[in-house]
Amino acid sequence: MDARIFVARTSEFSSERRRHIIPSPQKASLFRMTEISPKKSTSSGGSVGSGAGFPHTPRKKLFPESVQVHLDNEFELPEINKYTKQTPAELIEAITASNHIVFDFTLFEHGLPRMPKGDELSILSNLFPTQFALTVVPPMLTIHVRTLPPKPWPLTVAGLPLYLTTDEWNTGYDHGRQGAGPKVLTHLNAKLHVTKGIFEAAVKFFETEAKVDVDYIQWTTGLWKISVADGTSLTNVPSQLAGILCHYVFESKEVRPREAALRLLQPTSTVRDDTQYNDLRPGVMVSSGVFSDPSHVVLPRPELYTTSGVLVKNNEGELFITVASHGFPLGEETAYHPTPSGKVIGKVERRLGETDIALVRPGPGLTYTNEIFANPGATTGKVVTGIRNWEDIQLFSTVYMENPFTGYAEGQFLGVRYQRLPADESAPQLPWIYQTWLYMGQGTLDEPTNGSCGSVVTDEEGFALCFFRWKDMQGHAIGVSATELENYGFKIA
């Protein structure tokens, strides 16, 4: 008997549309917005907590028309003391309690980040106590302070991802070193937008003409970041490709986090949602079993905890639940919810190559809806109805993730990575996969994200953009593109 799928527009799941337990990171996170505007330009007269709408141009630029934005604080442009450069305490408090800081201008214009100018620079230079500099080095807005303010910190300021640091040379992202060779593929244009065709042309160039061993190629507006084998000479590699700069990093110099299934070895004070839900959905806790080798050659090991993804179907209409493949090692294919002492939800029946997407065939009588848990302030959650191709999402768009380890979290879409798969993999698969590059902020997901693997990341409309894999210490994260499901013949159920 196949799992039953329910359309999440009914009241059938109303009692479980919200989490029974709120994870620690969500409790410490920000979901407010503050606007700072020139005097007399706000619709409400600039009063704090006015809940005003978004009549100004940047609101339209930063948020799609389909997005209903709620403004929690609104300030007229404060008079900064030119001698002490002190920002009013009321404004400081609002900034440090908001996830997004918006103005009547945006630093993302015509598809490119830009430096602030004139009065904009004056405004942005006094947002945080002890602030002494700011830089815009795509894709980040970096604000330099003498002393870091208490966390959590905003995710975005003036439309760009915010990075706070006390290091005057740190820009929040390792761009690598620029190549010194020729400009190549000049007939292509990746300045503002990238396509699969451009990625494939770039890979073909490096493999057949440059003869360079490439691990991945990553794009954001105006910049390529290319991981190459140790010892590669940067003298002859392209300085530009398809009209934008090429920067290179050596594989051994990168500190790449491992995919983070959670193995509970000792008690922790971190709160996670280990509720056993009757009706399953994206974002519930799943686990492998406790591994025990009958021959006693391999020592027993605790179970692995990850997060359920979405319900998908193949061309024959068979239903499967996506999970993180590394959370269910060979020999540990049985999937439980939420723990091995809970209920069996099915078994891993297929792994989609090295994408880290595995498919669990649901057990008899299991119910699964593609409605995500409701986020703070909402009565219902987004319903995942389809896949968002990364070619069709605007740079710096807000994305959303919900799982039992972080709870509700917001991020930004920064670009795309084309990742080469291991060459010695014998199973039939695609040689390269697409991954999305996200920024989850420094204060939103400050705690370890172990266990979050497999979480579906959606856009504002609820379309699946990717499945979370890992996050580094600077807030940058990688997820495998949901389009990989389509490459293997699956779609959202």
Side-chain angles (χ1 to χ4, degrees):
M1 176 179 177
D2 283 331
R4 291 176 287 158
I5 179 171
F6 290 86
V7 179
R9 294 182 181 86
T10 72
S11 59
E12 194 146 8
F13 294 96
S14 59
S15 63
E16 294 193 331
R17 279 177 165 164
R18 292 185 177 278
R19 288 198 178 277
H20 293 183
I21 299 174
I22 304 300
S24 298
Q26 179 176 326
K27 291 180 180 179
S29 296
L30 306 170
F31 307 109
R32 302 171 64 188
M33 181 176 298
T34 292
E35 181 188 20
I36 305 173
S37 303
K39 288 190 175 182
K40 298 182 181 180
S41 70
T42 60
S43 59
S44 62
S47 60
V48 178
S50 63
F54 273 79
H56 301 314
T57 302
R59 295 168 176 170
K60 295 179 181 178
K61 290 183 179 179
L62 295 177
F63 305 97
E65 291 183 3
S66 61
V67 181
Q68 184 176 358
V69 180
H70 299 282
L71 182 66
D72 295 283
N73 296 295
E74 187 173 356
F75 288 87
E76 289 184 348
L77 181 61
E79 294 291 343
I80 306 297
N81 188 307
K82 66 180 179 180
Y83 298 106
T84 65
K85 294 189 176 181
Q86 289 184 342
T87 305
E90 195 176 38
L91 176 56
I92 292 175
E93 181 180 354
I95 289 173
T96 56
S98 297
N99 205 25
H100 302 282
I101 311 298
V102 298
F103 302 85
D104 63 339
F105 62 86
T106 173
L107 296 182
F108 179 59
E109 290 184 346
H110 310 299
L112 292 169
R114 66 170 178 84
M115 274 293 291
K117 52 193 176 184
D119 291 342
E120 299 170 352
L121 182 59
S122 176
I123 297 169
L124 293 174
S125 295
N126 294 281
L127 292 180
F128 297 91
T130 75
Q131 181 175 337
F132 67 89
L134 69 84
T135 56
V136 175
V137 181
M140 310 301 294
L141 165 63
T142 303
I143 291 182
H144 305 265
V145 293
R146 302 293 181 192
T147 304
L148 291 172
K151 288 188 176 181
W153 302 330
L155 174 67
T156 70
V157 171
L160 296 184
L162 170 67
Y163 186 78
L164 280 171
T165 180
T166 57
D167 184 348
E168 61 181 315
W169 302 109
N170 187 353
T171 61
Y173 176 60
D174 179 13
H175 295 79
R177 295 164 52 193
Q178 186 175 354
K183 300 177 182 179
V184 301
L185 303 184
T186 55
H187 63 291
L188 301 175
N189 185 355
K191 292 179 181 178
L192 303 179
H193 185 68
V194 71
T195 64
K196 292 180 180 178
I198 294 177
F199 270 115
E200 290 165 0
V203 167
K204 182 178 180 181
F205 174 85
F206 281 107
E207 289 181 343
T208 62
E209 297 188 46
K211 307 293 184 183
V212 172
D213 187 13
V214 171
D215 180 49
Y216 69 75
I217 302 176
Q218 184 166 291
W219 174 91
T220 190
T221 179
L223 179 71
W224 295 104
K225 181 178 178 179
I226 304 166
S227 177
V228 295
D230 293 2
T232 300
S233 172
L234 301 187
T235 303
N236 299 318
V237 292
S239 58
Q240 288 190 25
L241 186 150
I244 62 175
L245 297 176
C246 294
H247 285 219
Y248 298 84
V249 291
F250 295 116
E251 286 186 54
S252 66
K253 300 297 183 183
E254 287 202 282
V255 181
R256 189 177 304 172
R258 297 184 64 182
E259 291 151 331
L262 178 66
R263 203 183 290 277
L264 288 178
L265 301 178
Q266 58 187 6
T268 174
S269 60
T270 301
V271 177
R272 303 179 177 91
D273 184 10
D274 58 357
T275 303
Q276 182 170 322
Y277 291 95
N278 295 320
D279 302 307
L280 305 187
R281 65 185 64 228
V284 300
M285 184 182 291
V286 293
S287 69
S288 64
V290 177
F291 178 78
S292 179
D293 181 11
S295 65
H296 304 291
V297 175
V298 180
L299 293 175
R301 56 176 177 259
E303 64 275 16
L304 287 167
Y305 291 94
T306 51
T307 300
S308 65
V310 295
L311 193 69
V312 300
K313 61 183 178 181
N314 60 17
N315 293 332
E316 289 72 42
E318 296 177 298
L319 298 174
F320 299 90
I321 301 167
T322 65
V323 294
S325 182
H326 72 275
F328 299 88
L330 292 176
E332 301 176 55
E333 286 87 0
T334 301
Y336 300 87
H337 166 69
T339 68
S341 62
K343 61 183 177 182
V344 174
I345 64 174
K347 288 191 174 183
V348 171
E349 189 167 292
R350 184 177 177 186
R351 301 175 193 270
L352 304 187
E354 289 293 316
T355 64
D356 197 45
I357 300 174
L359 301 176
V360 170
R361 183 183 289 275
L366 191 78
T367 57
Y368 204 98
T369 172
N370 273 336
E371 179 185 3
I372 299 171
F373 284 107
N375 61 34
T379 56
T380 60
K382 293 181 175 68
V383 180
V384 182
T385 58
I387 291 171
R388 178 67 69 204
N389 191 320
W390 51 263
E391 291 180 281
D392 300 326
I393 187 169
Q394 181 180 331
L395 206 66
F396 300 125
S397 292
T398 303
V399 296
Y400 307 87
M401 182 172 72
E402 236 282 1
N403 67 63
F405 303 92
T406 66
Y408 172 80
E410 295 181 2
Q412 274 192 308
F413 171 70
L414 295 191
V416 185
R417 173 180 291 191
Y418 201 28
Q419 177 73 55
R420 188 184 64 184
L421 297 175
D424 58 351
E425 175 62 48
S426 59
Q429 62 176 353
L430 303 175
W432 293 72
I433 62 170
Y434 289 101
Q435 299 178 323
T436 56
W437 171 24
L438 312 173
Y439 183 64
M440 305 304 293
Q442 296 167 282
T444 305
L445 293 182
D446 194 39
E447 298 189 36
T449 51
N450 290 358
S452 300
C453 293
S455 303
V456 61
V457 178
T458 66
D459 65 4
E460 179 60 39
E461 296 177 347
F463 285 86
L465 176 65
C466 66
F467 298 97
F468 182 86
R469 294 191 77 168
W470 54 258
K471 168 183 167 289
D472 66 20
M473 296 303 293
Q474 292 184 312
H476 297 278
I478 289 292
V480 61
S481 172
T483 59
E484 296 298 332
L485 284 170
E486 296 175 321
N487 293 335
Y488 284 89
F490 293 88
K491 60 184 178 180
I492 304 297

